[in-house]
Amino acid sequence: METIGMVGFDADDTLWRSQDYFDAAQEEFERILAAWVDLDSHGARDRLYQVEVGNIGLFGYGAKGMVLSMLEAAIALSDARISAGDLQRILALGKELLTHPVELLPGIADAVEAIASEHPVVLITKGDLFHQEAKVRDCGLADLFGRIEIVSEKDPATYRRLLAEFGLPAERFLMIGNSLRSDVLPVLELGGWGIHIPYHSTWIHERADAVPADAPRFRHVDTAAALPGAVADVAALAARGS
Ligand SMILES: [Mg+2]
């Protein structure tokens, strides 16, 4: 019987808390910068976001790219007046982001274990390689995943390449994650299956249009406890060749 042959999990804000730390760093960045510029009149948040997105092609995703972009934005917004001491505080924000303990989200360990007992599972995450490797090592779930893929972008081309490596047609692949843009839509586009499990905070860059209402290979769950049942439903549908 041809059914789901592999289940992929996103990591940040699917397995463990991540965006909260970035949001807190952003708030602290703004507090530091407020001593040098009128944040509202300078549109500081927008400027930082523009610098971050402009740098993704150079730095990739993750905390190191974020802190370099913060330094760049702080220098630009303050017309290079910001003190070395405050630049040092911004640098420290990045180091804190890279060293916070891994905190698994409620119920996810049991959910991954249950799903891994039924299907091969893989971890597919983007972001800073060194940071992601450290979080995978510390999360306590690494042994459950047959493969751990740390990629620079999660778009259709990346998933197509991974599926070729897995030797799996898209119709037999299910991806689970908190980002419609990175975890769900590209996999649906290839003909695979997606389960969205939203997190309360989403980086603006990851915000995406909703999935079309008639997408038959898409499911939404609100809690990790609902994941094993949703995966079983998808596997049953896939087995029927839906
Ligand atoms: Mg995520």
Side-chain angles (χ1 to χ4, degrees), residues 10-15 18 125-126 154 177-179 182-183 206:
D10 168 55
D12 287 342
D13 297 323
T14 297
L15 299 186
S18 172
T125 179
K126 69 178 161 47
K154 289 164 89 172
N178 73 298
S179 170
S182 294
D183 304 319
E206 294 293 340

Side-chain angles (χ1 to χ4, degrees), residues 93-173:
L93 291 177
K95 289 190 178 178
E96 282 166 28
L97 271 177
L98 289 165
T99 51
H100 66 74
V102 176
E103 188 187 343
L104 289 177
L105 292 170
I108 197 68
D110 289 343
V112 174
E113 204 167 328
I115 293 163
S117 71
E118 299 287 330
H119 306 279
V121 295
V122 295
L123 187 64
I124 304 174
T125 179
K126 69 178 161 47
D128 180 79
L129 176 65
F130 195 73
H131 190 203
Q132 292 293 340
E133 282 179 341
K135 288 194 280 191
V136 169
R137 183 190 63 223
D138 295 343
C139 77
L141 301 178
D143 290 347
L144 293 174
F145 293 99
R147 296 178 63 135
I148 291 162
E149 301 286 345
I150 301 170
V151 297
S152 56
E153 186 59 272
K154 289 164 89 172
D155 55 11
T158 298
Y159 285 106
R160 195 179 291 117
R161 173 178 66 76
L162 289 174
L163 288 169
E165 285 177 25
F166 302 159
L168 196 72
E171 310 82 65
R172 299 189 57 209
F173 179 65

